[in-house]
Amino acid sequence: MNAKPDPEGHSAFLSSDRLASLSDTIFGVAMTLLATTLLPSILTLKGSVLDMLRQMQGEFAAVALGFAISGSYWVIQQRRLAMTHSVTPRQTLLHFVFLFLFVLLPISTGIWSRGGETRAVVMIYGAHLMLIAIVNLLLWIDVHRSAVAHAQIVRSSLALALFILALAIGAIWPFMAVYLWFTVFAVSLVSHNLTRRIYGP
């Protein structure tokens, strides 16, 4: 797609196709790097296969959640860019912040893998998820200026509310935050059907 030129003939907006290509690369690399957070634990494993699996269950849960988060938001990103022909400078900035947060996701996942479900770890990882949800919501609100995105805004608002709730509860009972993070994705499926009934696809 061609970017929209400004009055002087220069390209003012970024093509959504080019941003989609960048997003694919960043999400692919970030999702791959998540697996590397398991390497320190693998090098110290001892005992039978079952013992190793039990020792790694916490780390594997962190990687699985990180992969699920990345995959879900990659789908959201593709749908969002498919709704726009070009990306404004403000949207470009938000997109770069959004993508940078996924570049950092293997780091916060590694902190969780090594630190366990302590209050400090839960606050770091929970705050990271909350920031992703905030930027995602801001992007949908901005896209709504030129395309109908009622349903996406509702779903993004619900996800943000749940991540905030998980962060608040995790500050008191850290072990509960993990269950709430996984619950966000189950609830997102319900909210998708609900908003589709109200606003359409």
Side-chain angles (χ1 to χ4, degrees), residues 45-57:
L45 291 176
K46 295 180 180 179
S48 66
V49 174
L50 291 177
D51 290 336
M52 292 179 182
L53 291 176
R54 279 194 292 267
Q55 293 172 37
M56 288 190 62
Q57 63 182 4

Side-chain angles (χ1 to χ4, degrees), residues 15-134:
S15 167
S16 59
D17 285 347
R18 296 181 68 84
L19 188 55
S21 297
L22 177 63
S23 297
D24 289 344
T25 302
I26 290 178
F27 272 97
V29 171
M31 293 168 76
T32 302
L33 288 177
L34 286 170
T36 64
T37 62
L38 296 173
L39 292 178
S41 296
I42 291 175
L43 296 175
T44 60
L45 291 176
K46 295 180 180 179
S48 66
V49 174
L50 291 177
D51 290 336
M52 292 179 182
L53 291 176
R54 279 194 292 267
Q55 293 172 37
M56 288 190 62
Q57 63 182 4
E59 291 89 342
F60 186 78
V63 172
L65 179 60
F67 191 88
I69 290 169
S70 299
S72 298
Y73 278 109
W74 175 79
V75 172
I76 290 171
Q77 178 79 334
Q78 295 304 306
R79 289 175 177 170
R80 176 163 47 230
L81 292 174
M83 294 172 62
T84 58
H85 296 290
S86 59
V87 184
T88 67
R90 179 173 54 234
Q91 290 173 1
T92 300
L93 176 60
L94 287 172
H95 276 294
F96 272 99
V97 173
F98 184 70
L99 294 174
F100 181 65
L101 289 171
F102 282 95
V103 170
L104 297 179
L105 190 59
I107 298 176
S108 61
T109 302
I111 293 174
W112 177 12
S113 297
R114 300 301 295 168
E117 296 165 9
T118 63
R119 179 172 287 103
V121 170
V122 166
M123 296 303 291
I124 291 172
Y125 195 81
H128 195 162
L129 297 184
M130 185 184 69
L131 287 174
I132 290 174
I134 289 173

